[in-house]
Amino acid sequence: MSRIKKKQLGLGLFLMVTFIAVMVGIFMPLLDGGNALDYLDNLYNSISKGSAYYIPKVEHLVEEHGSEIVTLNLKMADASAAQAAEMLFPNTGATTAVEDNNLMVNGDLENIFSACLEDAESAYHNRDEDVVARHGVDTRPVLHTWWLVLGAMEKDLNRQKLFAAAQLSHTVQAKTVECAYNYYGIEAQAIKDRWGTVLFSLVFYVLYTVWYGYAIMYIFEGLGFELAAH
């Protein structure tokens, strides 16, 4: 360990202090009651929402699959879950019956998937009033119930060796219901409309990381730490 180098130590401490000061500012609620991380998180969520709109593509897959009458025995978690799931089917033209935690459904897969996609479409565009009008229940519980129903459908369709229908059930669940649930309440934005903020945040992230690295380097150099040559 060599002698202390005041110039490097002073520069390192200055960089560290200013780094911490900026960090404190980042976590302060300075942007509409939230901090900078909340702001950027919401921004990137809103931008990514625009690229997660798969509903039209899945609608096309459902149309390609076409009409298929099936009899399903959907095993739900409990009797209340089966009853909640049954409430999704009146607009599908299917007949249903609940026995304990089992929901029996007889109907057209195309109609069932189309009803699900209609709810996912409304949720994706934050039209909660449309979902409530159809089911009398708020959007998130409806989407969660659809997610459970589609998972149970996939299992039962696989059991019946209706593998194409089972795969379509999985696709509807993952590409539409999950996306609509995760992005519900978020307003979609195009990255071209916010490219300046996005570019600034990425450049700042790189510079801020380098800032910390130089602060550590100068502090240790100022304290006399050096790499030994071999």
Side-chain angles (χ1 to χ4, degrees):
M1 181 173 176
S2 306
R3 62 182 181 83
I4 292 177
K5 301 176 182 177
K6 294 183 179 180
K7 182 178 179 180
Q8 287 84 345
L9 180 59
L11 179 57
L13 291 174
F14 172 77
L15 290 174
M16 182 60 71
V17 169
T18 52
F19 176 89
I20 293 172
V22 172
M23 180 181 291
V24 171
I26 289 173
F27 285 97
M28 293 288 287
L30 302 176
L31 299 170
D32 298 326
N35 61 44
L37 292 181
D38 293 329
Y39 176 81
L40 290 176
D41 185 55
N42 292 333
L43 172 63
Y44 281 103
N45 282 337
S46 67
I47 290 173
S48 65
K49 180 175 182 176
S51 62
Y53 184 50
Y54 303 114
I55 294 174
K57 181 178 180 180
V58 176
E59 284 178 339
H60 180 67
L61 293 176
V62 170
E63 290 173 3
E64 277 190 342
H65 184 83
S67 176
E68 183 176 8
I69 305 300
V70 294
T71 298
L72 301 169
N73 182 6
L74 307 181
K75 297 185 182 298
M76 310 304 290
D78 50 42
S80 62
Q83 291 166 2
E86 187 180 29
M87 295 173 61
L88 300 176
F89 287 88
N91 297 328
T92 67
T95 58
T96 60
V98 173
E99 182 179 333
D100 296 326
N101 66 319
N102 294 324
L103 172 62
M104 279 69 75
V105 179
N106 182 265
D108 191 331
L109 274 180
E110 185 174 14
N111 291 342
I112 294 171
F113 288 140
S114 295
C116 177
L117 290 172
E118 185 178 21
D119 286 336
E121 175 81 9
S122 295
Y124 183 90
H125 295 291
N126 302 321
R127 297 195 296 262
D128 185 66
E129 65 280 1
D130 293 348
V131 179
V132 173
R134 284 192 290 270
H135 303 289
V137 182
D138 288 339
T139 299
R140 280 192 181 276
V142 168
L143 291 177
H144 181 250
T145 303
W146 269 124
W147 190 88
L148 295 173
V149 165
L150 291 165
M153 285 176 59
E154 182 184 359
K155 289 181 181 178
D156 196 58
L157 290 167
N158 276 322
R159 180 185 63 80
Q160 297 182 49
K161 302 188 186 312
L162 300 174
F163 300 120
Q167 180 59 45
L168 184 57
S169 180
H170 177 78
T171 299
V172 173
Q173 180 193 51
K175 294 292 188 179
T176 68
V177 174
E178 283 187 17
C179 288
Y181 185 94
N182 291 335
Y183 286 107
Y184 177 67
I186 296 173
E187 295 294 336
Q189 297 185 71
I191 191 170
K192 64 182 178 62
D193 297 327
R194 302 301 303 275
W195 69 268
T197 304
V198 172
L199 180 61
F200 173 80
S201 66
L202 295 175
V203 171
F204 175 80
Y205 174 78
V206 173
L207 293 179
Y208 197 55
T209 304
V210 173
W211 188 342
Y212 179 75
Y214 271 96
I216 293 295
M217 182 187 73
Y218 281 121
I219 287 174
F220 276 86
E221 186 178 343
L223 291 173
F225 289 92
E226 296 179 354
L227 290 175
H230 294 284

